[in-house]
Amino acid sequence: MALSASTVKTTPFEGQKPGTSGLRKKVKVFVEPNYTENFIQCILDANGSAINGSLLVVGGDGRYYCKKATEIIVRMCAANGVSRLLVGQNGILSTPAVSSLIRHNKALGGIVLTASHNPGGPENDFGIKFNCENGGPAPDAFTNKIYDLSTAIKEYKIVAGLQIDISKPGTSTFDINGKPFVVDVIDSVSNYVNHMKEIFDFAKLRDYVSGKSTGKPLKMRIDSMNGVTGSYVREIFLTNLGASEDCVVHTTPLEDFGGLHPDPNLTYAKDLVETVSKGDYDIGAAFDGDGDRNMIIGNKAFFVTPSDSLAVIAHYLECIPYFQKNGVQGFARSMPTASAVDLVGAKLGKEVFEVPTGWKYFGNLMDAGRLCLCGEESFGTGSNHIREKDGIWAVLAWLSVMQHTGKGIEEILKNHWSIYGRNYFTRYDYEECDLDPCNQMMAAMEKNITNPAFAGKSYSSGGKTYKVKVADNFSYTDPVDKSVSTKQGLRIVFEDGSRIVMRLSGTGSSGATVRLYIDSYEKDNVLGKASEMLKPLIDIALEISELPKFTGRNAPTVIT
Ligand code: G1P
Ligand code: ZN
């Protein structure tokens, strides 16, 4: 069908600045005339001349506005010289699936439509993010370029008359101003499922899950929280691993996630935690809206902190065929993540990197062959098989560890702590605070802790005393491209290795969210109750930051 592109005049919108992971705003903002179009034009333009004749992947977590945005993107790509698009059926692709598709197809990049774990629906959030040719989120230099372009945009290009049915797989070819433009609507799950089969030993896992090798089927509760993972979970755990239907729940992706807040943590995955705490399960797991986050719990809802999850997987990594084949390079974690994996790295003689918050900081290290496993305390775990964190991958990694050791989750953790000691960890989130007082709080705290007189000070609470070793606003120099990222979070490190970290979220769509992270290491006292072990340091953090005074909050909205 022969069609032609047209140019539409527009004016800049304020605040089209991608945050920790893409641009996230309320749906109401994205549906304003030209808002989405402007941002997409800037993404395409930020690629420069590479966009001509390129292949891009497009898909998202199925939340409200995904389909509409996908159609806009198809029409704009057609007008901007892209020659081929891989589009998930109904606009659906999990974030790990997009990363995998970009890499497998050697695409120029991908446009991911998601606000991740933020609630969806007409009254809630939408998001757009660009991933580069390595499959990972665009680095700061690229997102800054997008933002700069957004402040000066005057027009965008679109093929308004292009009609495409994304509800069925198939290939459509169009003639745009004399050049071919191909849209492949692809099955959302098959490439990803095949990728997982290459990484893990599915035959072994199937015998383990179905009970053939152990004499009893594994009791699992896998909760997709009405997010995008539903169809992937059914294909992997039911069809391929032989689990029974009652092992998976909330597997129909819904535009508003059924009203759930699709964030797999102890607060928002309440149904999972309650069910597993009452029932007789070997493993419980949940994912976020776009499938990159995971939470793992054991029998009686024994909670595995994401920092510990990373360390345990690191310890057993070689039980996974992918790592037997490709070797084990270094490990990495984001700065606020507890340093449990550092201890495993030290024992195994591997490099361990500490990067700022956000998955984009792992990509360069992976591309340089220095990193194969990484994680964040925010329920992110993943490896160099793609350039995003990967929720389902993490569950398959845990099943591999369970199968390999023949042990339950609690026993695996206790054994780990007996070898390495334990990093007690918690994160307090104070959501939707007013921005100005939070900025004032951060500024006052930075001034206080970076004063040379701060180092050496002692703080006591609940019978424990902590002496400040160093304190700073974390900055990071990428070991590969030497780019520097400053002001990545306030950090107080005490003599015994315990840490207080405070930063403002970069993923919210309105107001400010304060995140307070507490990491307390114990070599021998490893079986204590986390909330009790962490209380003294929490009180000290609240005292130093004066958080209640600045925010007016006496309690966090979410504790993980
Ligand atoms: C949060 C998490 C961070 C994660 C990001 C995207 O960012 O803290 O670890 O990479 O979501 O999933 P934040 O809101 O803290 O900026
Ligand atoms: Zn996510």
Side-chain angles (χ1 to χ4, degrees):
M1 190 195 228
L3 293 161
S4 55
S6 53
T7 301
V8 179
K9 294 262 170 276
T10 186
T11 49
F13 287 90
E14 255 178 49
Q16 290 199 327
K17 193 169 178 54
T20 312
S21 192
L23 182 70
R24 293 190 194 168
K25 300 280 175 198
K26 295 280 174 215
V27 166
K28 282 193 195 113
V29 175
F30 273 103
V31 298
E32 281 176 43
N34 294 351
Y35 190 91
T36 298
E37 289 84 348
N38 272 22
F39 192 65
I40 296 298
Q41 186 65 51
C42 297
I43 288 178
L44 299 175
D45 285 349
N47 281 286
S49 58
I51 205 73
N52 291 314
S54 64
L55 165 63
L56 292 180
V57 179
V58 185
D61 62 13
R63 69 178 59 223
Y64 183 81
Y65 197 55
C66 262
K67 272 192 208 149
K68 190 85 212 310
T70 303
E71 286 166 9
I72 293 173
I73 291 167
V74 172
R75 292 188 187 115
M76 291 189 65
C77 285
N80 279 278
V82 174
S83 68
R84 188 171 158 224
L85 284 183
L86 295 182
V87 180
Q89 188 177 358
N90 289 316
I92 290 198
L93 287 173
S94 75
T95 294
V98 173
S99 188
S100 176
L101 280 163
I102 293 172
R103 294 174 68 77
H104 274 104
N105 291 282
K106 300 196 173 14
L108 176 67
I111 301 177
V112 199
L113 306 171
T114 175
S116 185
H117 50 286
N118 296 8
E123 300 303 319
N124 288 306
D125 291 1
F126 188 71
I128 301 181
K129 122 178 150 161
F130 186 73
N131 282 23
C132 296
E133 60 191 335
N134 72 349
D140 287 341
F142 195 98
T143 53
N144 288 340
K145 205 158 152 194
I146 296 176
Y147 175 63
D148 289 345
L149 288 164
S150 81
T151 62
I153 186 168
K154 292 197 175 65
E155 56 188 38
Y156 62 83
K157 288 188 224 129
I158 190 159
V159 181
L162 192 152
Q163 294 298 335
I164 179 97
D165 177 9
I166 57 170
S167 69
K168 287 180 216 72
T171 301
S172 312
T173 305
F174 303 88
D175 175 323
I176 312 290
N177 297 350
K179 282 196 185 148
F181 172 65
V182 179
V183 181
D184 278 325
V185 177
I186 53 168
D187 173 86
S188 308
V189 299
S190 60
N191 169 76
Y192 179 82
V193 173
N194 289 337
H195 198 175
M196 292 302 112
K197 285 185 186 169
E198 285 165 17
I199 295 170
F200 296 98
D201 187 336
F202 265 49
K204 238 186 216 168
L205 291 181
R206 185 181 173 91
D207 287 351
Y208 180 64
V209 165
S210 65
K212 195 170 162 207
S213 59
T214 58
K216 56 178 175 41
L218 192 71
K219 283 168 255 151
M220 303 196 286
R221 187 170 170 101
I222 310 281
D223 191 336
S224 289
M225 295 182 84
N226 301 323
V228 73
T229 55
S231 12
Y232 299 82
V233 158
R234 298 189 69 83
E235 185 63 19
I236 290 176
F237 294 94
L238 302 187
T239 312
N240 280 283
L241 297 184
S244 59
E245 181 72 39
D246 59 355
C247 291
V248 303
V249 289
H250 301 130
T251 53
T252 305
L254 299 175
E255 286 198 329
D256 65 348
F257 307 114
L260 292 182
H261 191 141
D263 200 1
N265 59 40
L266 294 173
T267 304
Y268 294 128
K270 205 162 151 250
D271 178 64
L272 175 77
V273 174
E274 278 177 12
T275 312
V276 174
S277 66
K278 285 188 213 124
D280 182 22
Y281 292 93
D282 300 309
I283 180 169
F287 312 105
D288 71 336
D290 63 326
D292 54 357
R293 294 184 172 199
N294 76 92
M295 177 171 75
I296 304 285
I297 54 179
N299 187 257
K300 299 279 172 277
F302 179 91
F303 175 57
V304 183
T305 70
S307 310
D308 277 344
S309 175
L310 173 63
V312 169
I313 296 173
H315 180 83
Y316 290 110
L317 206 53
E318 285 183 23
C319 75
I320 299 171
Y322 174 89
F323 298 99
Q324 289 161 8
K325 189 168 153 221
N326 299 307
V328 175
Q329 298 87 37
F331 305 136
R333 61 173 171 82
S334 64
M335 183 274 280
T337 304
S339 47
V341 73
D342 301 32
L343 303 171
V344 181
K347 185 156 188 262
L348 301 180
K350 305 290 176 193
E351 277 194 295
V352 180
F353 302 93
E354 182 180 40
V355 310
T357 297
W359 210 260
K360 59 189 168 197
Y361 295 102
F362 296 125
N364 271 353
L365 292 164
M366 288 182 174
D367 292 347
R370 290 174 70 177
L371 170 60
C372 71
L373 175 77
C374 53
E376 293 193 277
E377 50 63 43
S378 53
F379 298 85
T381 325
S383 94
N384 59 349
H385 67 290
I386 52 172
R387 296 293 180 270
E388 289 279 5
K389 54 194 177 241
D390 189 341
I392 290 177
W393 178 93
V395 175
L396 293 171
W398 265 94
L399 290 181
S400 304
V401 171
M402 291 166 78
Q403 187 275 330
H404 173 76
T405 57
K407 292 190 175 122
I409 290 178
E410 181 167 351
E411 206 185 340
I412 292 172
L413 260 298
K414 287 184 172 162
N415 176 53
H416 190 89
W417 297 333
S418 74
I419 302 171
Y420 294 102
R422 176 173 176 188
N423 286 79
Y424 290 92
F425 182 83
T426 191
R427 181 173 108 181
Y428 278 22
D429 293 334
Y430 300 80
E431 296 176 321
E432 305 214 4
C433 295
D434 291 336
L435 184 58
D436 287 346
C438 289
N439 283 333
Q440 285 158 18
M441 173 179 74
M442 296 298 284
M445 181 161 159
E446 178 166 3
K447 198 164 165 219
N448 178 15
I449 69 169
T450 55
N451 183 327
F454 189 75
K457 271 193 176 180
S458 285
Y459 288 87
S460 299
S461 174
K464 290 207 75 168
T465 298
Y466 296 89
K467 193 172 175 202
V468 178
K469 189 172 164 204
V470 284
D472 62 3
N473 196 338
F474 181 62
S475 81
Y476 174 71
T477 304
D478 186 298
V480 181
D481 67 14
K482 308 292 175 213
S483 60
V484 178
S485 307
T486 57
K487 298 194 178 295
Q488 296 295 321
L490 302 177
R491 173 173 78 149
I492 306 173
V493 184
F494 297 95
E495 295 281 355
D496 70 347
S498 297
R499 300 183 308 151
I500 292 172
V501 173
M502 195 178 250
R503 55 182 285 280
L504 298 185
S505 157
T507 54
S509 60
S510 59
T513 292
V514 183
R515 304 207 195 282
L516 170 63
Y517 313 78
I518 309 286
D519 172 7
S520 175
Y521 177 71
E522 296 279 344
K523 176 82 193 81
D524 302 308
N525 190 2
V526 296
L527 298 179
K529 199 168 171 221
S531 57
E532 284 162 17
M533 300 296 294
L534 291 161
K535 175 105 181 30
L537 210 48
I538 292 168
D539 289 342
I540 292 169
L542 295 176
E543 180 193 329
I544 296 175
S545 63
E546 298 183 275
L547 182 141
K549 185 188 97 183
F550 280 101
T551 62
R553 302 286 179 90
N554 287 316
T557 22
V558 178
I559 298 181
T560 39

